[in-house]
Amino acid sequence: VALRLARLRRGVVVVQRDNHSGFYWVRESFTEDTGNAQKVEEAVLAFKSRFGIRRVYVDPLQGLGTSKLGWILASGSAGSRQQRINRVRSLLDNTSLKFDIDAPGVRELFDEAMDYHYIERESETAKDAVVARVDDDHVAAMEYAIEGLLDLDRGGLWTPPPPRTAMREAFGHY
């Protein structure tokens, strides 16, 4: 489970790895739009019970529940957001990330992920492309969950799978 907590809109996403097939599955997603931290905690506890979740990853800028509930802060180091995006993109390219599209909240998360796109940013010294960050709380929470699972699966060291790009167009701009 992972959380992305904006000022009011809070996303909670369940991602699990199927040990038999090796696929990563987005199982359910929850959004709390009023900023009620208690409802977020209740959703996480329900997900932990229903899905047998043992680890919860939290947006490093928020820290909600890290000491009281034992949740784990995601990496907040420079470039970590782009690394999470690259990890998700790699799983999509390799058709290793699946969405349980009829589960609560997953269609909305999927649509949000398909809206991801890059914009060019230019300064006096550099020009680069960055992800346009608009209403991306669900996707960011999914990225935190995948980061945690991949790090756990690889003993803390992530190495990308071999590239396969044949399916890329099916997943939009992500």
Side-chain angles (χ1 to χ4, degrees):
V1 174
L3 291 86
R4 164 66 175 183
L5 310 170
R7 192 163 50 97
L8 289 177
R9 187 169 187 247
R10 297 165 183 234
V12 181
V13 177
V14 176
V15 179
Q16 291 182 309
R17 183 175 187 274
D18 180 341
N19 289 328
H20 193 67
S21 69
F23 293 133
Y24 293 84
W25 280 91
V26 178
R27 294 292 184 197
E28 194 165 333
S29 182
F30 167 82
T31 302
E32 168 51 44
D33 291 326
T34 66
N36 186 327
Q38 183 63 38
K39 286 186 179 181
V40 172
E41 289 180 19
E42 290 170 3
V44 171
L45 292 173
F47 286 164
K48 286 178 80 170
S49 174
R50 189 162 55 251
F51 294 103
I53 303 297
R54 293 185 307 269
R55 289 180 180 80
V56 179
Y57 298 90
V58 184
D59 180 338
L61 300 177
Q62 305 296 324
L64 176 74
T66 54
S67 60
K68 181 174 78 170
L69 301 171
W71 298 350
I72 304 163
L73 280 180
S75 172
S77 63
S80 58
R81 178 71 196 273
Q82 188 60 49
Q83 290 172 359
R84 280 190 288 277
I85 291 168
N86 291 344
R87 288 175 171 188
V88 171
R89 181 180 295 145
S90 179
L91 289 174
L92 289 170
D93 285 349
N94 288 288
T95 64
S96 297
L97 178 60
K98 309 290 184 183
F99 294 82
D100 189 354
I101 210 71
D102 294 323
V106 175
R107 167 62 70 184
E108 292 82 4
L109 181 147
F110 181 81
D111 291 344
E112 188 177 295
M114 295 305 105
D115 284 343
Y116 253 42
H117 61 282
Y118 285 84
I119 56 173
E120 287 194 14
R121 180 177 64 174
E122 189 172 346
S123 70
E124 292 179 16
T125 59
K127 183 176 181 179
D128 62 354
V130 296
V131 171
R133 299 191 62 180
V134 180
D135 295 329
D136 66 346
D137 298 311
H138 272 121
V139 174
M142 178 183 70
E143 291 167 358
Y144 294 133
I146 289 170
E147 174 183 57
L149 284 171
L150 287 170
D151 286 347
L152 184 65
D153 289 348
R154 291 175 178 84
L157 300 173
W158 182 75
T159 54
R164 283 184 42 203
T165 58
M167 296 297 294
R168 180 173 209 98
E169 287 73 33
F171 298 105
H173 298 289
Y174 197 91

